[in-house]
Amino acid sequence: MSRTVAMPTAVVTAVTLLGGVLLVQWLPRLPPTWCLVLLWLAAMLLCWHLPRWRWLACVLVGIVWAAWRGSVAMDARLPRALEGRDFVVVGTIVDLPQVRRDASRFMLRAERASLDGVPVRLHGRLAVSWYTHAPQLQPCSRWQLLLRLKRPRGLRNPGGADSERSALERGIVATGYVRDEGDNVSQAAPSRCIDGVRDGIARAIAARVHDRHDAALLQAFAVGDTRGLGRHDWEVARANGVSHLIAISGFHVGVAALFGVGLAWLVYALWPRLGHSLPRTQAQAGAALLAAGIYSALAGFGLPTVRTLLMIAVVVLARCSRRCSTGAQSLALAMIAIVLVDPLAVLSAGFWLSFIGVAFLMLCLQARGRGLRAFVHELSAGQLVMTLGLLPLTMWFFGEASLVGALSNLIAVPLVSFVIVPCALCGMLLLMLCPPLAGPMLWLAGQLVHAQWWLLQRMAHWPGAHWYLPTVQPWALLLALLGALWLFMPRGVPLRWLGVLLFLPLLLPPRQLPADGAFQVSVLDVGQGLSVLLRTRHHAMVYDTGARYPSGFDLGEAVVLPSIHALGIRRLDLLMISHGDNDHAGGAGAVVAAFPEAPGLAGEPARMPVPMPQCVAGQSWRWDAVRFRVLSPVAPRKAGKSNDRSCVLLVEGRAGRMLLTGDIGARIEPGVAAALGSGPPTVMLVPHHGSKHSSSSAFIASVQPVLAVVSAGWRNRFGHPRPAVLARYAKAGVPLLNTAQQGAIVLDFPADASMHREPGFRQRDLRYWRERP
């Protein structure tokens, strides 16, 4: 009887505890300490005096625990008053440093810090970049560095990643860069640590596998080292739905456990008398846990690996204590352990994909006996269940999914898990026992990786490899998950096919399309740069695409394209690049690659990554009763400032108009004002991010905007928008919005009413971890 009760008790405890933790993550602000104390006392009262309400006690415990841990994590962040200051920090490098051409990037675990010689309380992880004269950085080395720091703050856009949530989940309390003016010195040689072992194995693989790309893939499969993978590699992985295999998956840990079982079996086969002192079953269980633990450590203890490791630990403890343990109980106990150790883990996509994926497999797959045929059936059915079952969550977290993922995983999972990973494990073992023999084994693994990646690259171009949907709403996510569960119910359940209908809400657009004569404008949050999406009823265009940095971070790929997909835009009718500066044109290549059929216009065609015609004043067109007019440049300018060659675009609907000014200066503004003419109320994009060389008082008076929008980076080094410029708009009585404070700004220009401004994306869906304006 105790065994039958244990499983549901563990499952109920896990679900209710998780529910309490999850409730906290939807709060805009964390509850005060006195409230947490009252909730804790209520939980204890329910637990001891009202046994029937213990499930509610678990919910309250989850709320208190998550809120307290969240409060501690937020309090550990760099104080707002100290942002932008230079600190002397002593700390140790954790994880594997990334060395690029433009900079070295690493995580520093701060031990102590000082500001102007005064100690400052700063503990936690710092995300640091070292741009110039960076030495060779080693894992686990200890440094004293002069760092300019700020709080973690990300961009807020439709369909964009929430980097502030990610920073909280990863324990990052500040971001910054090394200042060359300081005395930056290494205080101690690298000590022995697991990250140092990972780095050593990665170097050994690179020395024995001569193809750099094959070595990079094998390093990812073996020790979770993804430093050698580029943007194209991750695109191929996403297109095939195999990203979980590249960064070591939980299934790999299971293979490592089987490897440990095999080693224990071999030892007992060679020395049978060991069974007199230690039973073989318990020894194999212990060897499985040890091998899984070592491999999880080499993988960096990612969430999927930790989940599998904890499940293996539950099974091992049950085996050693001669108790029965079901899969559901193991999964529930693993979830309880993770939530109790780190309740902020629920903020990561890996937590949900890992646990819900395994839960789907347990609920939807039925044993079909033993043998090769049953194994192949379970493998193929498992990939179908995982692909369709996790599709809603994949769309929720990443904004895209792969329809070829089931077939790709059917090929990749057995090859990686049963061939490549065992070869890598043998190679790593031989590196310690007999290094000369490790070379052939790692070479074989490299050849297998090469063949597999060759196939995945071709499958990445199949139809449906990249499937995008508009922003998924929470209610649509829940319905789709229920639909996936219903679809894969056991045989005999009636009308299983109706589960497909519950996926349909995923296709609903996030907002209504504009009527004829109306249009929508989204000024995206691209930091110190510019990108604007304009949409009429049947047409869409992009004006500028943000920057692309030497590190490879491309705002066209990271912000513009996800925003286009999140808004449900499937076709781009025009790409206009105001001029050739990187903060306006850097992301154009990514947008052109995604929409190669879109025509283009540019203020400086010679500086574009792809051929584009010149924009010239007088060009005009109509889309859905909305008029578009180019006001500048009057003629192609070959002399003068690059900024003054910007394409200036006026978008005029029936009841309002939008003026996009690029980076023009005060010298060009009179001509633009003269070409503007009279018309409905105007909203103006502040020229040149609010620099002191633009937005003259005469220009503001001529345009008479009802609203001004500036696109600028938070705490940018140029000081944009300048205080003098802000004063001019304030003197003219023009309200001004800043993407640095508001996030992406969406403006609706109806056909029969005045312009309507929606709350900025930083004001939407407020969460306690988000930075305030």
Side-chain angles (χ1 to χ4, degrees):
M1 178 65 69
S2 60
R3 292 180 182 177
T4 60
V5 174
M7 188 277 288
T9 300
V11 172
V12 169
T13 301
V15 171
T16 52
L17 185 66
L18 177 64
V21 171
L22 193 59
L23 283 173
V24 174
Q25 313 314 320
W26 289 85
L27 297 177
R29 296 185 183 277
L30 292 172
T33 304
W34 64 265
C35 183
L36 298 182
V37 172
L38 290 179
L39 290 177
W40 178 259
L41 293 176
M44 295 300 99
L45 181 65
L46 290 172
C47 187
W48 291 107
H49 297 286
L50 298 171
R52 291 181 177 272
W53 292 87
R54 283 179 181 171
W55 64 269
L56 181 57
C58 290
V59 174
L60 296 179
V61 168
I63 292 174
V64 173
W65 179 232
W68 181 78
R69 285 293 300 269
S71 177
V72 170
M74 292 301 296
D75 290 343
R77 285 188 176 179
L78 181 73
R80 289 184 176 86
L82 301 182
E83 283 192 288
R85 305 286 297 275
D86 291 342
F87 297 80
V88 176
V89 179
V90 175
T92 303
I93 294 178
V94 296
D95 212 341
L96 302 177
Q98 284 191 337
V99 179
R100 304 284 187 184
R101 287 180 298 176
D102 65 310
S104 295
R105 292 176 173 81
F106 56 96
M107 287 289 178
L108 187 74
R109 186 175 60 244
E111 298 172 6
R112 63 176 186 271
S114 62
L115 177 63
D116 299 329
V118 179
V120 176
R121 183 182 176 185
L122 185 65
H123 300 286
R125 289 190 169 198
L126 311 178
V128 181
S129 299
W130 197 329
Y131 291 105
T132 58
H133 309 105
Q136 187 69 30
L137 299 172
Q138 300 292 335
C140 315
S141 56
R142 195 165 181 264
W143 287 81
Q144 176 179 298
L145 302 171
L146 180 65
L147 303 177
R148 178 158 294 180
L149 299 176
K150 64 178 181 179
R151 291 167 68 92
R153 188 182 182 94
L155 307 174
R156 294 291 299 139
N157 292 284
D162 191 342
S163 58
E164 293 163 28
R165 181 187 68 193
S166 177
L168 179 67
E169 183 259 324
R170 297 167 61 194
I172 298 174
V173 299
T175 65
Y177 60 92
V178 178
R179 300 275 288 170
D180 293 332
E181 295 84 350
D183 186 16
N184 302 309
V185 295
S186 175
Q187 290 199 333
S191 58
R192 297 293 296 176
C193 67
I194 192 63
D195 288 325
V197 175
R198 294 174 66 200
D199 186 63
I201 293 175
R203 291 175 184 274
I205 291 173
R208 290 163 173 80
V209 179
H210 301 300
D211 186 285
R212 293 181 61 183
H213 187 253
D214 294 345
L217 287 169
L218 190 56
Q219 288 166 344
F221 289 135
V223 291
D225 179 7
T226 59
R227 294 176 294 177
L229 301 181
R231 180 172 61 90
H232 177 69
D233 297 313
W234 289 109
E235 287 180 357
V236 171
R238 288 195 298 269
N240 288 278
V242 297
S243 299
H244 62 101
L245 292 177
I246 292 181
I248 297 174
S249 71
F251 199 68
H252 297 176
V253 179
V255 173
L258 292 176
F259 190 78
V261 172
L263 287 179
W265 179 88
L266 181 61
V267 169
Y268 273 79
L270 295 175
W271 293 282
R273 293 188 178 182
L274 287 176
H276 295 295
S277 56
L278 180 63
R280 187 175 66 176
T281 300
Q282 280 76 6
Q284 288 179 324
L289 182 60
L290 179 62
I294 293 174
Y295 195 56
S296 298
L298 292 176
F301 284 115
L303 262 177
T305 60
V306 172
R307 182 261 304 159
T308 305
L309 179 62
L310 290 173
M311 291 182 67
I312 292 172
V314 171
V315 174
V316 168
L317 290 175
R319 181 63 62 89
C320 292
S321 60
R322 293 180 172 85
R323 292 178 179 270
C324 178
S325 175
T326 65
Q329 183 179 13
S330 300
L331 184 66
L333 292 176
M335 179 183 290
I336 292 170
I338 289 179
V339 169
L340 289 180
V341 171
D342 182 15
L344 299 180
V346 301
L347 296 175
S348 73
F351 178 91
W352 297 98
L353 294 173
S354 177
F355 279 100
I356 291 183
V358 174
F360 259 105
L361 290 176
M362 290 181 177
L363 289 171
C364 301
L365 287 187
Q366 294 176 308
R368 296 295 182 99
R370 298 182 178 180
L372 180 61
R373 184 176 179 180
F375 171 77
V376 171
H377 175 270
E378 290 186 6
L379 183 64
S380 57
Q383 299 313 315
L384 183 62
V385 168
M386 292 289 281
T387 299
L388 291 181
L390 295 182
L391 186 144
L393 279 174
T394 305
M395 298 301 304
W396 170 269
F397 283 111
F398 307 114
E400 68 171 299
S402 172
L403 297 183
V404 304
L407 181 58
S408 299
N409 278 273
L410 186 61
I411 298 170
V413 167
L415 181 60
V416 171
S417 300
F418 298 122
V419 182
I420 294 175
V421 169
C423 286
L425 289 173
C426 290
M428 290 189 289
L429 189 62
L430 290 172
L431 283 173
M432 295 182 288
L433 301 178
C434 185
L437 295 179
M441 185 61 68
L442 293 174
W443 174 86
L444 175 61
Q447 295 301 305
L448 293 169
V449 166
H450 182 90
Q452 179 204 32
W453 203 252
W454 177 88
L455 179 60
L456 292 178
Q457 283 179 317
R458 275 127 191 94
M459 296 178 72
H461 297 288
W462 288 6
H466 291 284
W467 190 46
Y468 302 99
L469 288 177
T471 300
V472 176
Q473 302 301 319
W475 61 271
L477 170 68
L478 293 176
L479 286 178
L481 287 173
L482 288 174
L485 184 60
W486 185 260
L487 193 63
F488 292 106
M489 282 284 101
R491 290 184 179 181
V493 176
L495 302 176
R496 289 187 301 165
W497 61 272
L498 290 177
V500 176
L501 299 180
L502 295 181
F503 280 80
L504 295 180
L506 294 176
L507 304 176
L508 294 177
R511 54 192 299 144
Q512 279 190 329
L513 294 176
D516 287 341
F519 64 97
Q520 296 169 349
V521 177
S522 299
V523 183
L524 301 181
D525 182 11
V526 292
Q528 186 62 21
L530 177 64
S531 184
V532 183
L533 296 180
L534 298 106
R535 190 177 194 182
T536 65
R537 185 166 186 80
H538 299 112
H539 297 82
M541 69 168 287
V542 171
Y543 180 93
D544 286 350
T545 56
R548 186 181 192 277
Y549 297 101
S551 63
F553 181 66
D554 190 328
L555 285 158
E557 180 184 23
V559 171
V560 181
L561 291 179
S563 297
I564 290 173
H565 298 313
L567 294 174
I569 298 173
R570 300 189 179 278
R571 187 186 78 249
L572 206 59
D573 297 286
L574 179 66
L575 172 62
M576 177 178 284
I577 305 298
S578 64
H579 62 300
D581 286 358
N582 180 56
D583 59 331
H584 294 252
V591 177
V592 169
F595 297 96
E597 73 288 347
L601 284 174
E604 294 182 291
R607 298 176 65 189
M608 293 299 102
V610 295
M612 286 187 181
Q614 171 77 51
C615 67
V616 180
Q619 293 171 330
S620 65
W621 62 93
R622 282 184 178 272
W623 287 341
D624 307 315
V626 177
R627 187 184 182 195
F628 293 75
R629 252 193 319 141
V630 178
L631 306 184
S632 183
V634 175
R637 296 174 177 268
K638 296 185 179 179
K641 294 182 179 180
S642 168
N643 291 343
D644 288 343
R645 302 180 193 135
S646 295
C647 300
V648 178
L649 181 67
L650 178 67
V651 185
E652 187 170 352
R654 290 176 182 165
R657 54 186 184 172
M658 180 82 191
L659 180 63
L660 303 177
T661 56
D663 274 359
I664 61 170
R667 190 166 68 92
I668 303 298
E669 290 175 352
V672 171
L676 183 64
S678 61
T682 303
V683 176
M684 182 172 71
L685 189 71
V686 175
H688 199 192
H689 318 289
S691 78
K692 62 182 180 181
H693 303 295
S694 60
S695 294
S696 64
S697 298
F699 183 58
I700 297 173
S702 298
V703 177
Q704 296 182 343
V706 296
L707 177 69
V709 179
V710 60
S711 178
W714 177 256
R715 302 186 64 87
N716 65 83
R717 60 191 177 96
F718 306 102
H720 294 163
R722 290 284 187 170
V725 173
L726 296 176
R728 289 177 208 153
Y729 283 97
K731 184 178 180 180
V734 179
L736 188 143
L737 300 176
N738 190 345
T739 58
Q741 299 172 339
Q742 306 286 327
I745 297 170
V746 179
L747 306 173
D748 279 322
F749 292 80
D752 55 358
S754 59
M755 182 273 302
H756 169 68
R757 177 180 71 87
E758 299 182 9
F761 268 75
R762 191 162 287 280
Q763 279 74 44
R764 301 186 190 185
D765 301 326
L766 291 177
R767 300 290 184 267
Y768 69 87
W769 61 78
R770 298 232 174 97
E771 294 295 307
R772 300 299 191 259

